[in-house]
Amino acid sequence: MALVNWLKRHFVVIAGLLTLGYLLLPNIVVTVFSFNKPKGRFNYEWQQFSTDAWKDPCGVADMCGSLSISLQIAFWATVGATVLGSMIAFALVRYRFRARGTVNSLIFLPMAMPEVVMAASLLTLFLNLGAQLGFWTILIAHIMFCLSFVVVAVKARVMSMDPRLEEAARDLYASPVQTFLRVTLPIAAPGIAAGALLSFALSFDDFIITNFNAGSTVTFPMFVWGSAQRGTPVQINVIGTTMFLVAVLLVLVSMVIGNRRNRQKA
């Protein structure tokens, strides 16, 4: 009876931990197999503990080259989508203009539309324009489908802002530029940062849209897909584990910074 009562009191916590464990299970498997030394071409069965892949993460031909291309595309797509998406979000919240409702609806289309439809549409556009498929077509495509996610994240933050803060800044003779840089932008920064991080993750991870518009350019997801046909090198697990650890580190750093700011405000 005591055990049943304890389970009832902690049911939500237990369910949350089980869900979190389920979500993290693939990452744990990838991490474990990054220390494996397979006997064949495929890294699907545990054979022997080894750190060879960690000592030489670029030991597989063209893997680090494809990783570099993916990081470059993800970075510039994040910059482009964040700048354009933030401006669109401010315009949709702060201004009234014709077709505002239509624009609001169209923003959600890339999020609701299947990626294969967008990929085929963009490919048709590039071919009709006579554009050479490669790095730049991938970058343009990634900016287009990341844009909606940034707009939604920043728009939610801007809508929750208290306009009286900006009015107070203007009452204290702050110029429009000073008001934006010292009041508006710091308040909207969490939403902008969230949109930027989401854009980077979506761009780096994308395969379908990239595969349609890549031409001869090979990104890291395309390299992983191609390697799965011939044999999966352990170095892929090393890169995946590194990306996961970097993401966790960023989350922990943001939590520490947030806690410090809350303590200062208190």
PDB file of all heavy atoms in Angstrom, residues 98-128:
ATOM      1  N   ARG A  98      -2.391  45.969 -45.688  1.00  0.00           N
ATOM      2  CA  ARG A  98      -3.250  45.086 -46.466  1.00  0.00           C
ATOM      3  C   ARG A  98      -2.630  43.691 -46.581  1.00  0.00           C
ATOM      4  O   ARG A  98      -1.424  43.556 -46.668  1.00  0.00           O
ATOM      5  CB  ARG A  98      -3.476  45.663 -47.861  1.00  0.00           C
ATOM      6  CG  ARG A  98      -4.348  46.919 -47.884  1.00  0.00           C
ATOM      7  CD  ARG A  98      -4.562  47.399 -49.301  1.00  0.00           C
ATOM      8  NE  ARG A  98      -5.406  48.600 -49.340  1.00  0.00           N
ATOM      9  CZ  ARG A  98      -5.747  49.245 -50.453  1.00  0.00           C
ATOM     10  NH1 ARG A  98      -5.316  48.791 -51.625  1.00  0.00           N
ATOM     11  NH2 ARG A  98      -6.498  50.321 -50.397  1.00  0.00           N
ATOM     12  N   ALA A  99      -3.486  42.714 -46.596  1.00  0.00           N
ATOM     13  CA  ALA A  99      -3.071  41.304 -46.729  1.00  0.00           C
ATOM     14  C   ALA A  99      -2.244  40.828 -45.543  1.00  0.00           C
ATOM     15  O   ALA A  99      -1.532  39.831 -45.649  1.00  0.00           O
ATOM     16  CB  ALA A  99      -2.294  41.092 -48.030  1.00  0.00           C
ATOM     17  N   ARG A 100      -2.365  41.525 -44.421  1.00  0.00           N
ATOM     18  CA  ARG A 100      -1.618  41.106 -43.223  1.00  0.00           C
ATOM     19  C   ARG A 100      -2.067  39.719 -42.767  1.00  0.00           C
ATOM     20  O   ARG A 100      -1.243  38.880 -42.396  1.00  0.00           O
ATOM     21  CB  ARG A 100      -1.820  42.131 -42.117  1.00  0.00           C
ATOM     22  CG  ARG A 100      -1.119  41.799 -40.794  1.00  0.00           C
ATOM     23  CD  ARG A 100      -1.195  42.994 -39.860  1.00  0.00           C
ATOM     24  NE  ARG A 100      -0.692  42.661 -38.536  1.00  0.00           N
ATOM     25  CZ  ARG A 100      -1.478  42.267 -37.530  1.00  0.00           C
ATOM     26  NH1 ARG A 100      -2.783  42.170 -37.717  1.00  0.00           N
ATOM     27  NH2 ARG A 100      -0.967  41.985 -36.342  1.00  0.00           N
ATOM     28  N   GLY A 101      -3.374  39.496 -42.794  1.00  0.00           N
ATOM     29  CA  GLY A 101      -3.877  38.189 -42.410  1.00  0.00           C
ATOM     30  C   GLY A 101      -3.430  37.093 -43.356  1.00  0.00           C
ATOM     31  O   GLY A 101      -3.115  35.975 -42.929  1.00  0.00           O
ATOM     32  N   THR A 102      -3.369  37.421 -44.652  1.00  0.00           N
ATOM     33  CA  THR A 102      -2.915  36.436 -45.639  1.00  0.00           C
ATOM     34  C   THR A 102      -1.454  36.074 -45.413  1.00  0.00           C
ATOM     35  O   THR A 102      -1.067  34.900 -45.491  1.00  0.00           O
ATOM     36  CB  THR A 102      -3.097  36.990 -47.065  1.00  0.00           C
ATOM     37  OG1 THR A 102      -4.470  37.359 -47.260  1.00  0.00           O
ATOM     38  CG2 THR A 102      -2.695  35.955 -48.102  1.00  0.00           C
ATOM     39  N   VAL A 103      -0.635  37.085 -45.124  1.00  0.00           N
ATOM     40  CA  VAL A 103       0.789  36.834 -44.859  1.00  0.00           C
ATOM     41  C   VAL A 103       0.945  35.959 -43.622  1.00  0.00           C
ATOM     42  O   VAL A 103       1.764  35.033 -43.589  1.00  0.00           O
ATOM     43  CB  VAL A 103       1.551  38.165 -44.688  1.00  0.00           C
ATOM     44  CG1 VAL A 103       2.992  37.905 -44.257  1.00  0.00           C
ATOM     45  CG2 VAL A 103       1.525  38.956 -45.981  1.00  0.00           C
ATOM     46  N   ASN A 104       0.137  36.243 -42.590  1.00  0.00           N
ATOM     47  CA  ASN A 104       0.190  35.426 -41.375  1.00  0.00           C
ATOM     48  C   ASN A 104      -0.123  33.967 -41.673  1.00  0.00           C
ATOM     49  O   ASN A 104       0.501  33.055 -41.119  1.00  0.00           O
ATOM     50  CB  ASN A 104      -0.811  35.961 -40.345  1.00  0.00           C
ATOM     51  CG  ASN A 104      -0.173  36.944 -39.372  1.00  0.00           C
ATOM     52  OD1 ASN A 104       0.918  36.709 -38.872  1.00  0.00           O
ATOM     53  ND2 ASN A 104      -0.849  38.056 -39.126  1.00  0.00           N
ATOM     54  N   SER A 105      -1.079  33.742 -42.569  1.00  0.00           N
ATOM     55  CA  SER A 105      -1.438  32.368 -42.927  1.00  0.00           C
ATOM     56  C   SER A 105      -0.361  31.710 -43.767  1.00  0.00           C
ATOM     57  O   SER A 105      -0.039  30.526 -43.577  1.00  0.00           O
ATOM     58  CB  SER A 105      -2.771  32.365 -43.688  1.00  0.00           C
ATOM     59  OG  SER A 105      -3.811  32.925 -42.904  1.00  0.00           O
ATOM     60  N   LEU A 106       0.209  32.477 -44.695  1.00  0.00           N
ATOM     61  CA  LEU A 106       1.237  31.912 -45.571  1.00  0.00           C
ATOM     62  C   LEU A 106       2.506  31.541 -44.820  1.00  0.00           C
ATOM     63  O   LEU A 106       3.243  30.656 -45.254  1.00  0.00           O
ATOM     64  CB  LEU A 106       1.573  32.914 -46.693  1.00  0.00           C
ATOM     65  CG  LEU A 106       0.478  33.149 -47.740  1.00  0.00           C
ATOM     66  CD1 LEU A 106       0.902  34.249 -48.706  1.00  0.00           C
ATOM     67  CD2 LEU A 106       0.177  31.863 -48.502  1.00  0.00           C
ATOM     68  N   ILE A 107       2.749  32.230 -43.687  1.00  0.00           N
ATOM     69  CA  ILE A 107       3.946  31.939 -42.903  1.00  0.00           C
ATOM     70  C   ILE A 107       3.946  30.486 -42.433  1.00  0.00           C
ATOM     71  O   ILE A 107       4.996  29.840 -42.328  1.00  0.00           O
ATOM     72  CB  ILE A 107       4.031  32.896 -41.691  1.00  0.00           C
ATOM     73  CG1 ILE A 107       4.421  34.308 -42.155  1.00  0.00           C
ATOM     74  CG2 ILE A 107       5.041  32.396 -40.669  1.00  0.00           C
ATOM     75  CD1 ILE A 107       5.785  34.402 -42.801  1.00  0.00           C
ATOM     76  N   PHE A 108       2.766  29.940 -42.164  1.00  0.00           N
ATOM     77  CA  PHE A 108       2.678  28.581 -41.630  1.00  0.00           C
ATOM     78  C   PHE A 108       2.755  27.512 -42.721  1.00  0.00           C
ATOM     79  O   PHE A 108       2.891  26.331 -42.394  1.00  0.00           O
ATOM     80  CB  PHE A 108       1.367  28.407 -40.854  1.00  0.00           C
ATOM     81  CG  PHE A 108       1.356  29.120 -39.535  1.00  0.00           C
ATOM     82  CD1 PHE A 108       0.828  30.393 -39.423  1.00  0.00           C
ATOM     83  CD2 PHE A 108       1.897  28.532 -38.406  1.00  0.00           C
ATOM     84  CE1 PHE A 108       0.814  31.060 -38.207  1.00  0.00           C
ATOM     85  CE2 PHE A 108       1.894  29.189 -37.181  1.00  0.00           C
ATOM     86  CZ  PHE A 108       1.355  30.455 -37.085  1.00  0.00           C
ATOM     87  N   LEU A 109       2.670  27.894 -43.987  1.00  0.00           N
ATOM     88  CA  LEU A 109       2.675  26.900 -45.056  1.00  0.00           C
ATOM     89  C   LEU A 109       3.937  26.043 -45.077  1.00  0.00           C
ATOM     90  O   LEU A 109       3.850  24.812 -45.168  1.00  0.00           O
ATOM     91  CB  LEU A 109       2.463  27.583 -46.410  1.00  0.00           C
ATOM     92  CG  LEU A 109       1.009  27.837 -46.810  1.00  0.00           C
ATOM     93  CD1 LEU A 109       0.953  28.483 -48.189  1.00  0.00           C
ATOM     94  CD2 LEU A 109       0.200  26.562 -46.785  1.00  0.00           C
ATOM     95  N   PRO A 110       5.142  26.653 -45.018  1.00  0.00           N
ATOM     96  CA  PRO A 110       6.349  25.793 -45.029  1.00  0.00           C
ATOM     97  C   PRO A 110       6.427  24.841 -43.848  1.00  0.00           C
ATOM     98  O   PRO A 110       7.031  23.771 -43.948  1.00  0.00           O
ATOM     99  CB  PRO A 110       7.501  26.816 -44.988  1.00  0.00           C
ATOM    100  CG  PRO A 110       6.917  28.068 -45.528  1.00  0.00           C
ATOM    101  CD  PRO A 110       5.493  28.073 -45.063  1.00  0.00           C
ATOM    102  N   MET A 111       5.798  25.207 -42.722  1.00  0.00           N
ATOM    103  CA  MET A 111       5.823  24.337 -41.553  1.00  0.00           C
ATOM    104  C   MET A 111       4.838  23.178 -41.701  1.00  0.00           C
ATOM    105  O   MET A 111       5.068  22.081 -41.181  1.00  0.00           O
ATOM    106  CB  MET A 111       5.489  25.147 -40.292  1.00  0.00           C
ATOM    107  CG  MET A 111       6.430  26.307 -40.041  1.00  0.00           C
ATOM    108  SD  MET A 111       5.894  27.375 -38.687  1.00  0.00           S
ATOM    109  CE  MET A 111       6.030  26.274 -37.303  1.00  0.00           C
ATOM    110  N   ALA A 112       3.724  23.435 -42.399  1.00  0.00           N
ATOM    111  CA  ALA A 112       2.692  22.410 -42.555  1.00  0.00           C
ATOM    112  C   ALA A 112       2.878  21.579 -43.822  1.00  0.00           C
ATOM    113  O   ALA A 112       2.394  20.450 -43.902  1.00  0.00           O
ATOM    114  CB  ALA A 112       1.313  23.060 -42.564  1.00  0.00           C
ATOM    115  N   MET A 113       3.579  22.134 -44.794  1.00  0.00           N
ATOM    116  CA  MET A 113       3.734  21.452 -46.075  1.00  0.00           C
ATOM    117  C   MET A 113       4.761  20.326 -45.974  1.00  0.00           C
ATOM    118  O   MET A 113       5.808  20.491 -45.344  1.00  0.00           O
ATOM    119  CB  MET A 113       4.195  22.475 -47.135  1.00  0.00           C
ATOM    120  CG  MET A 113       4.277  21.939 -48.551  1.00  0.00           C
ATOM    121  SD  MET A 113       4.977  23.181 -49.667  1.00  0.00           S
ATOM    122  CE  MET A 113       3.837  24.549 -49.403  1.00  0.00           C
ATOM    123  N   PRO A 114       4.499  19.162 -46.580  1.00  0.00           N
ATOM    124  CA  PRO A 114       5.513  18.093 -46.613  1.00  0.00           C
ATOM    125  C   PRO A 114       6.801  18.577 -47.285  1.00  0.00           C
ATOM    126  O   PRO A 114       6.750  19.310 -48.288  1.00  0.00           O
ATOM    127  CB  PRO A 114       4.835  16.990 -47.435  1.00  0.00           C
ATOM    128  CG  PRO A 114       3.375  17.262 -47.306  1.00  0.00           C
ATOM    129  CD  PRO A 114       3.235  18.751 -47.210  1.00  0.00           C
ATOM    130  N   GLU A 115       7.931  18.183 -46.735  1.00  0.00           N
ATOM    131  CA  GLU A 115       9.215  18.658 -47.256  1.00  0.00           C
ATOM    132  C   GLU A 115       9.429  18.271 -48.706  1.00  0.00           C
ATOM    133  O   GLU A 115      10.048  19.008 -49.473  1.00  0.00           O
ATOM    134  CB  GLU A 115      10.361  18.124 -46.393  1.00  0.00           C
ATOM    135  CG  GLU A 115      10.549  18.864 -45.086  1.00  0.00           C
ATOM    136  CD  GLU A 115      11.888  18.554 -44.445  1.00  0.00           C
ATOM    137  OE1 GLU A 115      12.876  18.369 -45.174  1.00  0.00           O
ATOM    138  OE2 GLU A 115      11.936  18.485 -43.221  1.00  0.00           O
ATOM    139  N   VAL A 116       8.929  17.118 -49.105  1.00  0.00           N
ATOM    140  CA  VAL A 116       9.145  16.668 -50.479  1.00  0.00           C
ATOM    141  C   VAL A 116       8.433  17.592 -51.462  1.00  0.00           C
ATOM    142  O   VAL A 116       8.923  17.806 -52.584  1.00  0.00           O
ATOM    143  CB  VAL A 116       8.673  15.200 -50.639  1.00  0.00           C
ATOM    144  CG1 VAL A 116       7.160  15.088 -50.483  1.00  0.00           C
ATOM    145  CG2 VAL A 116       9.119  14.636 -51.975  1.00  0.00           C
ATOM    146  N   VAL A 117       7.291  18.171 -51.064  1.00  0.00           N
ATOM    147  CA  VAL A 117       6.578  19.106 -51.936  1.00  0.00           C
ATOM    148  C   VAL A 117       7.388  20.387 -52.095  1.00  0.00           C
ATOM    149  O   VAL A 117       7.561  20.897 -53.205  1.00  0.00           O
ATOM    150  CB  VAL A 117       5.175  19.410 -51.366  1.00  0.00           C
ATOM    151  CG1 VAL A 117       4.469  20.458 -52.214  1.00  0.00           C
ATOM    152  CG2 VAL A 117       4.345  18.140 -51.291  1.00  0.00           C
ATOM    153  N   MET A 118       7.882  20.927 -50.974  1.00  0.00           N
ATOM    154  CA  MET A 118       8.707  22.130 -51.050  1.00  0.00           C
ATOM    155  C   MET A 118       9.993  21.875 -51.821  1.00  0.00           C
ATOM    156  O   MET A 118      10.431  22.720 -52.608  1.00  0.00           O
ATOM    157  CB  MET A 118       9.030  22.638 -49.640  1.00  0.00           C
ATOM    158  CG  MET A 118       9.910  23.887 -49.620  1.00  0.00           C
ATOM    159  SD  MET A 118      10.273  24.472 -47.958  1.00  0.00           S
ATOM    160  CE  MET A 118       8.663  25.106 -47.515  1.00  0.00           C
ATOM    161  N   ALA A 119      10.596  20.710 -51.609  1.00  0.00           N
ATOM    162  CA  ALA A 119      11.836  20.380 -52.306  1.00  0.00           C
ATOM    163  C   ALA A 119      11.624  20.334 -53.814  1.00  0.00           C
ATOM    164  O   ALA A 119      12.413  20.899 -54.587  1.00  0.00           O
ATOM    165  CB  ALA A 119      12.367  19.038 -51.806  1.00  0.00           C
ATOM    166  N   ALA A 120      10.542  19.687 -54.255  1.00  0.00           N
ATOM    167  CA  ALA A 120      10.257  19.596 -55.690  1.00  0.00           C
ATOM    168  C   ALA A 120       9.920  20.969 -56.273  1.00  0.00           C
ATOM    169  O   ALA A 120      10.323  21.292 -57.400  1.00  0.00           O
ATOM    170  CB  ALA A 120       9.101  18.626 -55.926  1.00  0.00           C
ATOM    171  N   SER A 121       9.203  21.791 -55.501  1.00  0.00           N
ATOM    172  CA  SER A 121       8.852  23.133 -55.975  1.00  0.00           C
ATOM    173  C   SER A 121      10.091  24.003 -56.147  1.00  0.00           C
ATOM    174  O   SER A 121      10.240  24.716 -57.149  1.00  0.00           O
ATOM    175  CB  SER A 121       7.880  23.790 -54.995  1.00  0.00           C
ATOM    176  OG  SER A 121       6.712  23.022 -54.847  1.00  0.00           O
ATOM    177  N   LEU A 122      10.984  23.950 -55.166  1.00  0.00           N
ATOM    178  CA  LEU A 122      12.216  24.739 -55.258  1.00  0.00           C
ATOM    179  C   LEU A 122      13.098  24.249 -56.402  1.00  0.00           C
ATOM    180  O   LEU A 122      13.707  25.060 -57.119  1.00  0.00           O
ATOM    181  CB  LEU A 122      12.977  24.651 -53.933  1.00  0.00           C
ATOM    182  CG  LEU A 122      12.360  25.422 -52.762  1.00  0.00           C
ATOM    183  CD1 LEU A 122      13.049  25.048 -51.462  1.00  0.00           C
ATOM    184  CD2 LEU A 122      12.471  26.923 -53.002  1.00  0.00           C
ATOM    185  N   LEU A 123      13.167  22.940 -56.586  1.00  0.00           N
ATOM    186  CA  LEU A 123      13.946  22.402 -57.698  1.00  0.00           C
ATOM    187  C   LEU A 123      13.397  22.888 -59.029  1.00  0.00           C
ATOM    188  O   LEU A 123      14.159  23.288 -59.926  1.00  0.00           O
ATOM    189  CB  LEU A 123      13.939  20.879 -57.644  1.00  0.00           C
ATOM    190  CG  LEU A 123      14.645  20.165 -58.818  1.00  0.00           C
ATOM    191  CD1 LEU A 123      16.120  20.548 -58.873  1.00  0.00           C
ATOM    192  CD2 LEU A 123      14.480  18.651 -58.684  1.00  0.00           C
ATOM    193  N   THR A 124      12.077  22.886 -59.184  1.00  0.00           N
ATOM    194  CA  THR A 124      11.452  23.381 -60.410  1.00  0.00           C
ATOM    195  C   THR A 124      11.775  24.856 -60.625  1.00  0.00           C
ATOM    196  O   THR A 124      12.074  25.285 -61.752  1.00  0.00           O
ATOM    197  CB  THR A 124       9.925  23.192 -60.338  1.00  0.00           C
ATOM    198  OG1 THR A 124       9.626  21.810 -60.115  1.00  0.00           O
ATOM    199  CG2 THR A 124       9.257  23.648 -61.625  1.00  0.00           C
ATOM    200  N   LEU A 125      11.725  25.643 -59.546  1.00  0.00           N
ATOM    201  CA  LEU A 125      12.048  27.073 -59.637  1.00  0.00           C
ATOM    202  C   LEU A 125      13.485  27.278 -60.096  1.00  0.00           C
ATOM    203  O   LEU A 125      13.755  28.068 -61.007  1.00  0.00           O
ATOM    204  CB  LEU A 125      11.821  27.741 -58.283  1.00  0.00           C
ATOM    205  CG  LEU A 125      12.269  29.203 -58.159  1.00  0.00           C
ATOM    206  CD1 LEU A 125      11.455  30.093 -59.080  1.00  0.00           C
ATOM    207  CD2 LEU A 125      12.150  29.679 -56.708  1.00  0.00           C
ATOM    208  N   PHE A 126      14.422  26.575 -59.483  1.00  0.00           N
ATOM    209  CA  PHE A 126      15.831  26.745 -59.837  1.00  0.00           C
ATOM    210  C   PHE A 126      16.106  26.311 -61.277  1.00  0.00           C
ATOM    211  O   PHE A 126      16.880  26.956 -61.998  1.00  0.00           O
ATOM    212  CB  PHE A 126      16.711  25.944 -58.869  1.00  0.00           C
ATOM    213  CG  PHE A 126      16.732  26.490 -57.473  1.00  0.00           C
ATOM    214  CD1 PHE A 126      16.656  25.635 -56.371  1.00  0.00           C
ATOM    215  CD2 PHE A 126      16.823  27.860 -57.243  1.00  0.00           C
ATOM    216  CE1 PHE A 126      16.671  26.134 -55.079  1.00  0.00           C
ATOM    217  CE2 PHE A 126      16.840  28.363 -55.950  1.00  0.00           C
ATOM    218  CZ  PHE A 126      16.763  27.497 -54.872  1.00  0.00           C
ATOM    219  N   LEU A 127      15.469  25.235 -61.698  1.00  0.00           N
ATOM    220  CA  LEU A 127      15.678  24.756 -63.061  1.00  0.00           C
ATOM    221  C   LEU A 127      15.099  25.743 -64.077  1.00  0.00           C
ATOM    222  O   LEU A 127      15.703  25.993 -65.129  1.00  0.00           O
ATOM    223  CB  LEU A 127      15.046  23.377 -63.247  1.00  0.00           C
ATOM    224  CG  LEU A 127      15.716  22.223 -62.484  1.00  0.00           C
ATOM    225  CD1 LEU A 127      14.970  20.921 -62.722  1.00  0.00           C
ATOM    226  CD2 LEU A 127      17.175  22.069 -62.908  1.00  0.00           C
ATOM    227  N   ASN A 128      13.936  26.312 -63.779  1.00  0.00           N
ATOM    228  CA  ASN A 128      13.336  27.291 -64.692  1.00  0.00           C
ATOM    229  C   ASN A 128      14.158  28.566 -64.769  1.00  0.00           C
ATOM    230  O   ASN A 128      14.174  29.251 -65.811  1.00  0.00           O
ATOM    231  CB  ASN A 128      11.915  27.623 -64.244  1.00  0.00           C
ATOM    232  CG  ASN A 128      10.944  26.495 -64.516  1.00  0.00           C
ATOM    233  OD1 ASN A 128      11.157  25.691 -65.431  1.00  0.00           O
ATOM    234  ND2 ASN A 128       9.879  26.406 -63.738  1.00  0.00           N
TER     235      ASN A 128
END
